[in-house]
Every structure is written in structure tokens, then in C-alpha cells.
């Protein structure tokens, strides 16, 4: 999300979280729509409409904000959300699901607590605390998550399956539950995010393509369009 929304991100550690964030659109502003691109993550987002779960996505998703609206959210890293949500990641893939469908009344209680806090920063803190409390009593993250995330960065799916002691079909089933999609799609999404980070740092796109593991710059361009729906330069 870009700064016209007043977006602010705070790094987080533990409970599978990578960050929390807030966004606010001034009352006098024009309605704003952000194109959200795949990152392998799952966000739990509070707004005046309640709390919803976002992602993981396999393509670009529009995120609309009305003038005067505010949001607070937490973001889980790849594979970390399912135990806390109480559902496999593929159950929320490419979807925006009310948290109450997964947590029942506990989701409404958390939404009320967040709404009752003072500033937007305080609301963010209440949401983070609520999610952390849920994570503390949840089942552990699938132990294969770190190995698969690390493995797909530099190896084929077959090599990753061999390394973790599973057949490719078994790895795919476990990956759907952990990440929301199979290991090949996870590989594409994480490579896209690495390439985007390099490009945003100022690295020339030809060098980005090589460093991120694409065949060439045309391959990079095609993958970015497939996953983000627009050219890489518009994402910088």
C-alpha cells in the first residue's frame, strides 16, 4: 500500500508475524484503491466493518478505502497463519473472509476491543495483542514451513520434496494447507517478491532478472504481469 493512504508499517517478531500496519484516508480525500500483489502472506485486518482475513493471493487484488476510513492489521509470514486461524491456508486463498467465520464470537470480541481503543496506533496495538494471545494457545506451525520456504528459493520442487522426505504429491498437499498453494506457485510468488525488492532498491532490471533466477528480463516481465497484472516499473 502506498503513502496516499497514510500507510505505516511496524516490524513484528514472534507468533509468525512479520509486521503490523495501519492505514488512514483523510475525510476530504478521493476514494482510493490499492492493487495488492501476491507475497505469500496472510493479513488479519480490522476496519469499521469488522475484522477480515486477507489472502494468500495468487494474483492482484484491489483493496478499496473510503474517505475517512482507517485500518489496522497484522501480517503473518508464509505458512504461519493456519494454526492461528484454525483453518488451512487454501481455505482463504484469493479471498477476504470475515474472521468470525473462523473464530466465532471471539472475533467480534476482538473487533469491539480494537474499535474501543483511542488512537489508530492504540488500535493496532490491541489487534496485535489479541492475535498474539490466540497464537499462544494455537497448534504449532507445520515444522516443514522453514525448509520449504528456504528450499524453493534455490531448488526444484522435486529436490525440495526429496530434502524434506516427501513425495511431490505429499509435498503439494502439505503446501496447500501451509501456504494456500503448491510449492511451484510458492516459488513463483517468493521469487517475484525478491525481484521486486531488488528493483525497488535501484538495481537495473536486467541484473534483477539474473539475481532472482529468471531466464532473462523478458521472463521477469512476463512473471510480473502474470502475478501483479501490470509492468514491474509501475510497482516501483
Amino acid at each position: 500500500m502506498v503513502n496516499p493512504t497514510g500507510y505505516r508499517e511496524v516490524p513484528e517478531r514472534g507468533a509468525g508475524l512479520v509486521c503490523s500496519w495501519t492505514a488512514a484516508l483523510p475525510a476530504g480525500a478521493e476514494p482510493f484503491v490499492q492493487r495488492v500483489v501476491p507475497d505469500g502472506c496472510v493479513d488479519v485486518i480490522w476496519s469499521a466493518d469488522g475484522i477480515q482475513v486477507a489472502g494468500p493471493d495468487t494474483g492482484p487484488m484491489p483493496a478499496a478505502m473510503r474517505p475517512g476510513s482507517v485500518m489496522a492489521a497484522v501480517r503473518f509470514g508464509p505458512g504461519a497463519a493456519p494454526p492461528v486461524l484454525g483453518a488451512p491456508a487454501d481455505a482463504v486463498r484469493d479471498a477476504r473472509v470475515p474472521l468470525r467465520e473462523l473464530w466465532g464470537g471471539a472475533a467480534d470480541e476482538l473487533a469491539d476491543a480494537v474499535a474501543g481503543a483511542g488512537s489508530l496506533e492504540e488500535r493496532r496495538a490491541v489487534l496485535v495483542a489479541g492475535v498474539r494471545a490466540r497464537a499462544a494457545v494455537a497448534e504449532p506451525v507445520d515444522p516443514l514451513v522453514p525448509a520449504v520456504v528456504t528450499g524453493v528459493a534455490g531448488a526444484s520442487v522435486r529436490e525440495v520434496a526429496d530434502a524434506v522426505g516427501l513425495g511431490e504429491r505429499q509435498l503439494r498437499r502439505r503446501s496447500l494447507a501451509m501456504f494456500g498453494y503448491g510449492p511451484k506457485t510458492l516459488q513463483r510468488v517468493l521469487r517475484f517478491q525478491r525481484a521486486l525488492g531488488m528493483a525497488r532498491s535501484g538495481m537495473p532490471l536486467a541484473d534483477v532478472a539474473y539475481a532472482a533466477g529468471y531466464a532473462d528480463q523478458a521472463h521477469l516481465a512476463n512473471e510480473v504481469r502474470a502475478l501483479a497484472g501490470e509492468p514491474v516499473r509501475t510497482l516501483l
Side-chain angles (χ1 to χ4, degrees):
M1 198 170 287
V2 296
N3 284 333
T5 62
Y7 179 78
R8 177 174 177 267
E9 194 170 286
V10 179
E12 299 285 350
R13 291 184 178 180
L17 300 177
V18 293
C19 72
S20 56
W21 57 265
T22 56
L25 190 62
E30 293 293 324
F32 181 80
V33 179
Q34 172 68 30
R35 184 188 294 254
V36 178
V37 299
D39 59 5
C41 297
V42 172
D43 286 20
V44 176
I45 306 170
W46 170 88
S47 70
D49 298 324
I51 301 179
Q52 66 174 0
V53 177
D57 298 323
T58 57
M61 294 286 285
M65 289 191 71
R66 301 184 299 271
S69 62
V70 295
M71 294 180 177
V74 295
R75 178 169 299 146
F76 287 93
V84 183
L85 298 180
D90 56 339
V92 295
R93 182 182 59 230
D94 291 325
R96 302 298 181 259
V97 178
L99 185 62
R100 73 171 63 89
E101 293 186 9
L102 305 175
W103 284 12
D108 294 328
E109 292 174 6
L110 179 57
D112 289 342
V114 175
S119 67
L120 183 54
E121 174 60 23
E122 291 170 333
R123 292 175 179 178
R124 181 196 65 81
V126 171
L127 179 64
V128 171
V131 171
R132 287 187 179 278
R134 188 80 175 198
V137 297
E139 294 294 322
V141 171
D142 190 313
L144 287 187
V145 166
V148 175
V149 169
T150 301
V152 297
S156 69
V157 172
R158 175 174 293 181
E159 289 170 334
V160 174
D162 289 343
V164 299
L166 295 177
E168 289 187 57
R169 290 185 179 179
Q170 291 174 304
L171 177 60
R172 175 174 172 75
R173 285 195 296 270
R174 290 278 285 273
S175 293
L176 287 172
M178 292 186 289
F179 307 111
Y181 25 64
K184 188 62 178 178
T185 299
L186 176 69
Q187 186 178 60
R188 292 178 62 211
V189 168
L190 297 184
R191 180 174 58 182
F192 158 69
Q193 282 293 326
R194 290 197 305 273
L196 191 57
M198 293 175 193
R200 285 173 171 168
S201 74
M203 183 183 291
L205 293 181
D207 294 341
V208 168
Y210 176 78
Y214 293 97
D216 50 31
Q217 190 171 337
H219 184 202
L220 166 65
N222 290 336
E223 279 288 272
V224 171
R225 281 192 175 275
L227 291 168
E230 55 189 344
V232 64
R233 294 189 186 279
T234 66
L235 301 173
L236 304 183

